C-alpha cells in the first residue's frame, strides 16, 4: 500500500479483521492439536502468524494504528522468549519503516504549505523518503544555505486517521492485552488519544525540539538537531546521521549497547531537569549512536529525534518520585506509604500494609540498588510475570494501587525506556544518573538550605 488509507470504513474494516483473525487462528491451532501436532510447535506458529498480521496491518495503516504498534514495540522484551522472536522481527519493521506516500502527494503538501516556489528553498530534495513514522515521513534534502536537512511531511488526513484508529483499537483492547503480559492496554490507548492534538501540531514540536537543541548545544553526550523551518504539516530540521538504535539492538557490540543504555538513562532524567520537558516517545527509531563522544572518535554520543510528544514539567520530574525511591531504598516503609497516599497512588477508601507495599516496590527498583545493573529480557519478563500472575501477592496489591493522571505519561516513558534498555542488554550505572538529575533522590544538606535562605 502506497498511500494513507483515509476512508473510515476502509480503516475500520482492516482493524476489525484483527480480532477475527486472532480468533480464526486459535480455531486453526486447536484443529492442528486435535490431529496430533505438538502443542509447542502449533503455539509458536500461531504467535508468528498473529504477529505478522498484526504489525503488517498496523504498519500499512500508519496513523494511530502504527503509533500504537510503536508504543507496544518497546515492551517486546517482556514477552516470553519462545514467542518473542516472531514479535521482535515484526516490531523492528515498525520502528524504522512504513509504506511511503506517493511523490505527487508529498509535492502537493509542500506546495500548499511552503508555496509554489518551494523547490527554491532547497538546493537538493530527495523524493524517496528516508524514513516513515506514524503521522508523517521524512525526506532528505539540502537547504538553500547548504545545510543538510530532514524534511518531515505530515500525511494528509493524519489527524482523522489517528483518532479513528485509536477509537477502534480501544474497542478490542482486551483481545490485544495478552500481547504484553502485565500491561493494561486500554489506558495506553486512552493516553495516546489524549496526545493526538499535540502530535499533529508541528509548531509545538518545533518549540520542544529547539528548546532541547539549544540546551544540549556542545553537550559531549547528547545531540539534538536544530530546527531550520516550520509550517503547518511541514517541519525542516538539521539532518543527523548515525546508527539507528534498532540496529544496535540487533547487531551492536556490547560496548555500543552499554554506552547507548547509559546515555539513554542520562537523557531520560537530565532532559526534564535541563529543559522542563520530557521526551515522551522513547522507541528505538527515535535514537541514533553518533561517533565523537568525550573520549574521541571511538566514543559515542546519543542523537535524539522526534519531539512530537513531550510532557511539560516546568520544575523537572516531580520531587515525589525521587523522595519515594530514596526512602524505599532506605527501607522506610511507613514514610513511603504516607507519601504514596498523599500523592493519590493509594485511594482514600483503601488501606494497605506498608510492608506489603515495600515488598511490591523493591524488585521493580532493583536497578537503583546497585552501582551498576545489567538490564536483560529475562529480568523484564520476570517483573512482568510477577505482576501479571493472579496468584501472586504482587498482582493482588497492584490491582489496589492507583496511577494519578499527572504521573501517567511519566510512568509510560519510564517503563518504555526500561524496555529499550532490556532490548539492548545494557549494563548501566543508573544510580549515578538518579543522583545527578532526579529531584529528591539525594537528601538536601541542611547547610545548603541555610545558605539558600540567607541568599
Amino acid at each position: 500500500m502506497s498511500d494513507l488509507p483515509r476512508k473510515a470504513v476502509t480503516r475500520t474494516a482492516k482493524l476489525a479483521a484483527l480480532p477475527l483473525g486472532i480468533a480464526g487462528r486459535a480455531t486453526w491451532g486447536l484443529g492442528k492439536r486435535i490431529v496430533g501436532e505438538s502443542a509447542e510447535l502449533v503455539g509458536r506458529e500461531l504467535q508468528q502468524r498473529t504477529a505478522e498480521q498484526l504489525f503488517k496491518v498496523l504498519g500499512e495503516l500508519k496513523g494511530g494504528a502504527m503509533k500504537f504498534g510503536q508504543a507496544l514495540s518497546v515492551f517486546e522484551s517482556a514477552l516470553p522468549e519462545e514467542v518473542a522472536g516472531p514479535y521482535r522481527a515484526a516490531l523492528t519493521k515498525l520502528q524504522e519503516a512504513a509504506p511511503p506516500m506517493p511523490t505527487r502527494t508529498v509535492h502537493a503538501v509542500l506546495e500548499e504549505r511552503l508555496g509554489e516556489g518551494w523547490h527554491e528553498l532547497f538546493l537538493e530534495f530527495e523524493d524517496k523518503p528516508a524514513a516513515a513514522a506514524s503521522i508523517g515521513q521524512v525526506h532528505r534534502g539540502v537547504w538553500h544555505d547548504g545545510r543538510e536537512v530532514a524534511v518531515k511531511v505530515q500525511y494528509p488526513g493524519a489527524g482523522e486517521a489517528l483518532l479513528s484508529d485509536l477509537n477502534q483499537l480501544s474497542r478490542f483492547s482486551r483481545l490485544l492485552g495478552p500481547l504484553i503480559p502485565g500491561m493494561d492496554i486500554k489506558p495506553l490507548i486512552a493516553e495516546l488519544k489524549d496526545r493526538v492534538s499535540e502530535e499533529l501540531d508541528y509548531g509545538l514540536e518545533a518549540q520542544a525540539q529547539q528548546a532541547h537543541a539549544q540546551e544540549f548545544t556542545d553537550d559531549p553526550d547528547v545531540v539534538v538537531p536544530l530546527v531550520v523551518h516550520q509550517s503547518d504539516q511541514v517541519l525542516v530540521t538539521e539532518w543527523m546521521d548515525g546508527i539507528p538504535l534498532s540496529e544496535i539492538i540487533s547487531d551492536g557490540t556490547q560496548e555500543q549497547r552499554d554506552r547507548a543504555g547509559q546515555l539513554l538513562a542520562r537523557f531520560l532524567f537530565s532532559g526534564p531537569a535541563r529543559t522542563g520537558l520530557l521526551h515522551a516517545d522513547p522507541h528505538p527509531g527515535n535514537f541514533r549512536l553518533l561517533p565523537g563522544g568525550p573520549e574521541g572518535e571511538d566514543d559515542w554520543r546519543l542523537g535524539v529525534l522526534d519531539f512530537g510528544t513531550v510532557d511539560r514539567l516546568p520544575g523537572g520530574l516531580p520531587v515525589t518520585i525521587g523522595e519515594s525511591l530514596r526512602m524505599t531504598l532506605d527501607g522506610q516503609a511507613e514514610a513511603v506509604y504516607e507519601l504514596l497516599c498523599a500523592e493519590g497512588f493509594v485511594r482514600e477508601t483503601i488501606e494497605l500494609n506498608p510492608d506489603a507495599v515495600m515488598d511490591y516496590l523493591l524488585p521493580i527498583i532493583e536497578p537503583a540498588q546497585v552501582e551498576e545493573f545489567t538490564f536483560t529480557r529475562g529480568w523484564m519478563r520476570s517483573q512482568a510475570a510477577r505482576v501479571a500472575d493472579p496468584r501472586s501477592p504482587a498482582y493482588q496489591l497492584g490491582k489496589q494501587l492507583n496511577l494519578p493522571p499527572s504521573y501517567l505519561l511519566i510512568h509510560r516513558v519510564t517503563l518504555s525506556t526500561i524496555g529499550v534498555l532490556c532490548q539492548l542488554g545494557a549494563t548501566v550505572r543508573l544510580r549515578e544518573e538518579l543522583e545527578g538529575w532526579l529531584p529528591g533522590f539525594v537528601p538536601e544538606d541542611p547547610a545548603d538550605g541555610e545558605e539558600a535562605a540567607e541568599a
Side-chain angles (χ1 to χ4, degrees), residues 75 78-79 177 180-184 356-365 378-401 411 415:
F75 296 104
L79 294 168
I180 304 294
M183 181 179 178
D184 192 349
V357 173
M358 185 71 76
D359 291 340
Y360 176 85
L361 294 174
L362 279 172
I364 301 172
I365 64 169
W379 179 78
M380 185 78 164
R381 286 195 299 273
S382 69
Q383 295 300 319
R386 186 175 71 94
V387 299
D389 185 352
R391 299 165 297 180
S392 151
Y395 174 85
Q396 299 299 333
L397 191 141
K399 281 175 61 179
Q400 299 179 78
L401 292 175
H411 179 69
L415 278 182

Side-chain angles (χ1 to χ4, degrees), residues 442-455:
V442 176
E444 285 189 17
D445 188 329
D448 293 342
E450 289 171 10
E451 289 176 12
E454 289 173 8

Side-chain angles (χ1 to χ4, degrees), residues 1-3 56 59-62 66 97-101 129 132 137 155:
M1 184 171 291
S2 60
D3 203 354
K56 179 175 183 292
E60 282 182 348
L61 290 177
K62 304 176 185 175
M66 186 177 170
M101 274 192 286
Q137 65 189 37
Y155 303 129

Side-chain angles (χ1 to χ4, degrees), residues 254-309:
Q254 192 58 51
E255 181 186 6
Q256 289 173 323
R257 293 168 183 273
D258 292 345
R259 179 66 174 161
Q262 189 71 43
L263 295 182
L264 196 59
R266 183 166 303 163
F267 181 70
L268 168 66
F269 292 107
S270 69
R274 295 173 63 174
T275 67
L277 299 167
L278 173 68
H279 182 288
D281 196 7
H283 74 80
N286 287 339
F287 299 97
R288 302 282 186 271
L289 266 194
L290 311 170
E295 304 299 321
E297 282 302 304
D298 294 334
D299 197 7
W300 300 95
R301 297 175 294 165
L302 183 73
V304 186
L305 302 169
D306 198 340
F307 291 81
T309 305

Side-chain angles (χ1 to χ4, degrees), residues 10-31:
T10 303
R11 303 180 67 80
T12 299
K14 281 181 170 289
L15 287 168
L18 285 174
L20 294 174
I22 293 170
R25 279 187 296 279
T27 305
W28 167 85
L30 177 61

Side-chain angles (χ1 to χ4, degrees), residues 194-255:
D194 289 343
R195 297 283 160 177
V196 166
S197 59
E198 289 186 21
E199 185 87 7
L200 295 167
D201 190 332
Y202 279 1
L204 286 175
E205 179 173 348
Q207 290 172 18
Q209 180 158 340
Q210 192 67 6
H212 279 84
Q214 290 173 349
E215 174 60 37
F216 286 93
T217 297
D218 300 326
D219 189 279
D221 299 313
V222 175
V223 181
V224 179
L226 285 165
V227 174
V228 175
H229 182 84
Q230 178 270 320
S231 66
D232 288 346
Q233 295 185 303
V234 178
L235 177 61
V236 183
T237 65
E238 291 181 336
W239 180 264
M240 185 167 65
D241 284 311
I243 308 171
L245 210 59
S246 55
E247 290 184 20
I248 301 297
I249 288 171
S250 60
D251 302 310
T253 65
Q254 192 58 51
E255 181 186 6

Side-chain angles (χ1 to χ4, degrees), residues 18 21-22 25 45-55 87 179:
L18 285 174
I22 293 170
R25 279 187 296 279
E45 190 172 351
L46 194 62
Q47 288 284 350
Q48 184 167 357
R49 290 187 179 201
T50 300
E52 287 173 353
Q53 186 209 4
L54 175 64
F55 295 109
Y87 282 113
L179 289 172

Side-chain angles (χ1 to χ4, degrees), residues 120-157:
E120 297 173 10
L121 296 172
F122 299 91
L123 298 179
E124 296 176 24
F125 182 87
E126 295 183 10
D127 286 333
K128 183 180 179 181
S134 52
I135 66 163
Q137 65 189 37
V138 177
H139 293 257
R140 191 167 187 168
V142 179
W143 196 240
H144 56 78
D145 62 6
R147 282 183 288 178
E148 285 193 79
V149 292
V151 185
K152 191 172 179 179
V153 183
Q154 194 172 116
Y155 303 129

